[in-house]
Amino acid sequence: MFYLRPGQINEEPQTVSGDAPATDWPARYQQLAQSAQAAVLRHFYAQGLPPADTPIAEVPLVAIDFETTGLDPEQGDIVSIGVVPMQLQRIYNRDSRHWIVRPRSRLGEESVVIHGITHSDIEESPDLARYLQPLLEQLAGRVVVAHYRFMERNFLNQALLRRLGEGIQFPVIDTMELEAAANRLTLWQRLCGRRRVSLRLADCRRRYHLPFYHPHHAHTDALACAELLQAQVAAHYSPQTPVGRLWC
Amino acid sequence: MQAEQIEILEFLRQHQPFSLLPDDVLQQVAQSVDVAYYKAGSQILELGAEINDWFILRSGAVEVYRRNGELYNRLTAGGFFGEFGLLRNRRVRFPVTALEDSLTYLVPAELFAQLFEEYEDFADQVEVEDRTRLRQAVARREDANELMTARIETLVSRDPVLLPYTASARMAAQCMTEENVSALLVVDETRAAEDALVGIVTDRDITDRLVAAGLPFETPVTEVMSSQLTWVAHNQLVFEAMLRMLRDNVHHLPVLRKGIPLGVITLPDIVQYESQNSLFVVRSIFSAQTVEELTALVPHVRSSFRRMIAEDANSRMIGSSMAVIGRSFKQRLLELAEEKLGPPPVPYCFLALGSMAREEQLIVTDQDNAIILDNRFNAEQHDDYFLQLATFVADGLAACGYQYCNGGIMATNKTWRQPLKVWEQYFTDWIEKPTPEFLLNSSIFFDLEGVWGETRWADMLNKLIRSKAQHNSRFLACMARCALQRTPPLGFFKSFVMEVNGNHTQSINMKRRGTAPLADLIRVHALSVGSSSRNSFERLQDIIDAKILSPGSGPDLRDALELIAMVRIRHQALDLDAGIEPDNNIEPENLSDFERKNLRDAFLIVANAQKYLKYRYQPGRTV
C-alpha cells in the first residue's frame, strides 16, 4: 500500500478513470470472457463471479496490495504484490503470495524510502509479465479486497495495458470506503465541528482493536486489509449481507 | 513466491512457548498460520465442535470455559487454546469466547502435533495436564539447588600476588607490604603455567622461620616458604575449603584452576562469608546485651534471607532458618526481660504460634505468642510480673521487625496469659464445642510450640489436641469450613488478579490467598490423622502415609506449596533488593510468564484440594 498524504485522501473518494460504477459484475465478466483478446484474461473472466445477492460469508475473497514507484498509475508501475486469499471466517494466510517485480518506470528515491524495496532488489526481479498468470489465477473467481481501490485497480489496469495492450476490470470491496461509510458524519456533527476520522489503514485497524503491523510491505498490508474486512463486517454488517452491497 | 510472514514471525519470537522453538521451525510455523478475527462477545470454539487448528491469540482477550460453564481461564495476547481438543479426539473440550475484539493465528493440527512431539521444552509449556508442568518447574529448581551451592571461586576477590622463586625473603616481605597481602605464591617462571607454582610464603613464615630463627634477610624465599602445598580447586565448595584449612592447620589456601593460580583465600574470607548465614545471626542474637543491639541485627537477618535465596535454598530451608532466628530473638528477649524484672514468681512457658511453630516463617511476619503459667499462678500476686514480661518481649519483637498481631494473639493479652489448667480447658472447649466464629481467627493455636521455660507444657497441650481432635468429626468439619474461607484466585489476566467469579483485583496477597489456605487445609487433614508434626511439609507426609488423599494429590499439594511459598519468598527478596519494605502483596505485572503459568497450576491444585476438604469433612460424616 502506497500511503497517500492526509490531504490526498478524500472522505468520499471520487470516481477516477477506470473505476466503473457498481454494476452487474457477473454479467460483465461473462461479456468480457468473450471480448478479451489475451487468453490469460479470457480465462480469468471465464471463472466468473458469484451473483450480487450472494451472502458475503459464502463469497471467495482475495485481499491484495501493491507497492508502486509513485502515486500516478499513468507514470508509475508496480514494484511488489501481496495476495492473501480469504473468506469472511478465515484468512488463508498460509496460501498467500508475495512477489517483487521490476517496474517499467523509474524507481523514485521517495518511494524507496517508503517501501524499502531498493534498486538492487528489483534488478534481480523479473518483469510483472512473468507472474501475470499465477496472479490472475489467484484473483480468478474471487472478489478483490483492497484498502483504497483506486490504487490497486488502476495500477493493475495500467500494468496490463502496457504488457498486454488491454486493461482489466474487476469488482473491489474497498475497506477504506466501508470505513468512510461507517464513520460518515451527519450534517449536525459537521456543524458541531466534529472532525473526520482518519481512514489510513493503521488507524482503521485500531478502531477494531487489531494489532499494529508495520506498513508498506505488500503482503503485510494485504493481510492487514483482510483482517480489517473481517472486523468491519463483524461490526457493521452481517455474514448474510449480499456481496453486491459491498463491492463497487 | 511464498510470502515471508514478518509480523507473525516477530510476534512468535517474542512469546513463550513459541520462542522455545528453533528459528527455522518458527519460520515454518509463521508460514503455516491462517488468521481469523472475532468480535467481542462472539463464540470462537463451541463445545464438541470439530477442531483442526491450534489457536494463538495475537491480540485481544478470550475466556476459556469448562464443560459445566465455569470460567476456566482468561487469556490475552500470546495465550493459546485448543490443545486439549487437538490432543484428544479433535473435538472442542473447552469452549472459548472472545472477551474483547480478538485476532487469532491458527496453526494446523498436524504441525502442532509435530511440534508437540519433537520439542520437549515447547511441549512442557503447552502440556495439557497442567500438573506436569508444575512438577517440572519445581524439580528443575531442585536440580539447580545442588549445583548452585557456593563455590570457592566466589570468595576470590583479587588475583594472586606472584613472586619468582629466585627472590629473597626481604623481597617477599617488601612485596607483601606493597600489595597489602599476607601471602605470596612463589613461582618458577621457567616452567609451564600449570606447573609453575612451587610454594606459598605467608607473613607468619617470615616471622617464624626467618626472624625468630635469626636468618639473614637475604635468605632465598625458597628456604622459608611452604613447598608442601595444600590447595583447593576453584569449583570446590566453600565448606570443603574450610575443612581443608582446619585439617591441615593452614590459614591461606591457593585456589587453582587446572593448575593455574586463581587467587588465595584466607580464613577471614571464609569467616566473613559464613558470618552472613543464619548461624552467625543466631550467635549474634545470643550475645546481644540490649534490645538496641538486637535491633541492629535486623539488616543481618535480611541479608541472610537474601543469601539463602541467591543460593537457591528451598522454602523449607528458608522457613526453618527464619523460624530459628525468630525463636532466638524471643529467647534472648526473655532472658533480657528476666534480667531486668528478676526471676519469675512461678514457672511459665512462652509459646510460639502459627508460622514460627510450623517453621515456615519469612521476614514479614506477625508475632503470634502466648504464655502458659504454672497452675499455682495467682493473678493478684503474679500477673503484674508476667504482663511486664510479655510487654517487654512484644515491644522488643516489634523493634526487631516482628509486627504486633492484629488479632491480639499475644501474651500481652490477658486471655492468652493463663495457667495450664485454663489452657487445657480452652482446647477442650474449642474441640468439643467448636464455633466457627472462634475457630476462624484462631486456627494458629493448633500450631503451637514452646520456645522458653517449661516447654513440656506445650507438648502436653499438643498431646491433648491430638487425642481429642482426631475423632471429633464436628470439630474437624468446623475447622474445614474455616479453612475454606480463604480461597486462591483463578489466575492472572493482564495486570490483574483474576478471581473465580471473573472479577479483577490489582494485587494478590500471597500469604492470604496462597500459603495460608494451604497450611489451613493441611492442618485439618493432619489433625484428622493424628499427626504430631507441625511443619506443613512434614504434616503432608504424614497425611500421604495415612493414605487419605487420592494417589498423586499429595505430591501435587507439596509442589503447589513449594511453588507458592517460593514466589512469595522471592518477591520479598526483590522488595529488599529494591530498598522497599517487603510485604506479601504481589502485583501481577511483576510476575514472570513462567511464574504466572505455574502459579495458575498451583492455585488450581489448591482449589481442588479445598473441594476435597469440603467433601471429606462434611458435618456428620464419620472420618
Side-chain angles (χ1 to χ4, degrees), chain B residues 518-537:
Chain B
L518 264 171
D520 286 350
L521 78 90
I522 289 170
R523 183 188 302 109
V524 178
H525 287 309
L527 287 168
S528 92
V529 302
S531 159
S532 58
S533 306
R534 279 190 303 272
N535 179 268
S536 293
F537 288 102

Side-chain angles (χ1 to χ4, degrees), chain B residues 354-401:
Chain B
S355 63
M356 185 189 284
R358 290 199 312 272
E359 307 217 311
E360 288 160 21
Q361 199 157 35
L362 302 184
I363 43 172
V364 184
T365 187
D366 283 3
Q367 41 166 301
D368 301 315
N369 54 55
I371 291 180
I372 308 174
L373 297 159
D374 190 278
N375 281 339
R376 288 166 292 173
F377 169 77
N378 176 320
E380 277 170 31
Q381 288 174 25
H382 308 137
D383 199 40
D384 188 42
Y385 175 92
F386 288 107
L387 175 60
Q388 284 188 53
L389 179 100
T391 307
F392 183 90
V393 174
D395 292 348
L397 285 173
C400 295

Side-chain angles (χ1 to χ4, degrees), chain A residues 89-100 131 205 208-214 217 219-220 223 227 230-231 234-235, chain B residues 1-8 30-39 52-53 58-60 101-103 105-108:
Chain A
Q89 302 81 355
R90 185 179 184 122
I91 297 163
Y92 301 106
N93 189 50
R94 58 188 79 141
D95 300 325
S96 59
R97 293 286 178 274
H98 182 241
W99 293 294
I100 294 176
Y131 296 129
R205 286 171 58 84
Y208 302 93
H209 309 106
L210 284 164
F212 172 78
Y213 286 169
H214 293 85
H217 179 280
H219 169 260
T220 307
L223 175 62
E227 293 170 2
Q230 288 192 325
Chain B
M1 193 188 326
Q2 263 217 312
E4 49 167 345
Q5 305 287 346
I6 313 167
E7 292 290 338
I8 297 173
Q31 300 281 4
S32 311
V33 303
D34 275 352
V35 181
Y37 174 89
Y38 296 92
K39 198 179 148 205
N52 290 307
D53 299 280
R58 171 62 174 84
S59 65
D101 293 343
S102 298
L103 190 69
Y105 291 159
L106 286 59
V107 179

Side-chain angles (χ1 to χ4, degrees), chain B residues 407 409 416 429-430 433-446 474-475 477-483 485:
Chain B
I409 301 180
W416 312 128
D429 286 350
W430 293 339
K433 288 173 263 174
T435 59
E437 300 74 40
F438 173 75
L439 290 180
L440 192 54
N441 300 311
S442 315
S443 54
I444 56 166
F445 283 106
F446 294 89
R474 196 160 145 245
F475 166 71
C478 211
M479 284 291 276
R481 213 178 320 148
C482 297
Q485 295 297 316

Side-chain angles (χ1 to χ4, degrees), chain A residues 84-132:
Chain A
V84 180
M86 68 178 291
Q87 269 187 301
L88 189 64
Q89 302 81 355
R90 185 179 184 122
I91 297 163
Y92 301 106
N93 189 50
R94 58 188 79 141
D95 300 325
S96 59
R97 293 286 178 274
H98 182 241
W99 293 294
I100 294 176
V101 293
R102 188 163 46 198
R104 291 193 178 173
S105 69
R106 207 180 59 80
L107 186 60
E109 297 298 332
E110 194 192 350
S111 74
V112 170
V113 173
I114 291 176
H115 48 62
I117 295 172
T118 62
H119 294 88
S120 61
D121 288 333
I122 56 172
E123 279 311 305
E124 294 157 16
S125 304
D127 187 87
L128 175 61
R130 162 88 178 276
Y131 296 129
L132 212 47

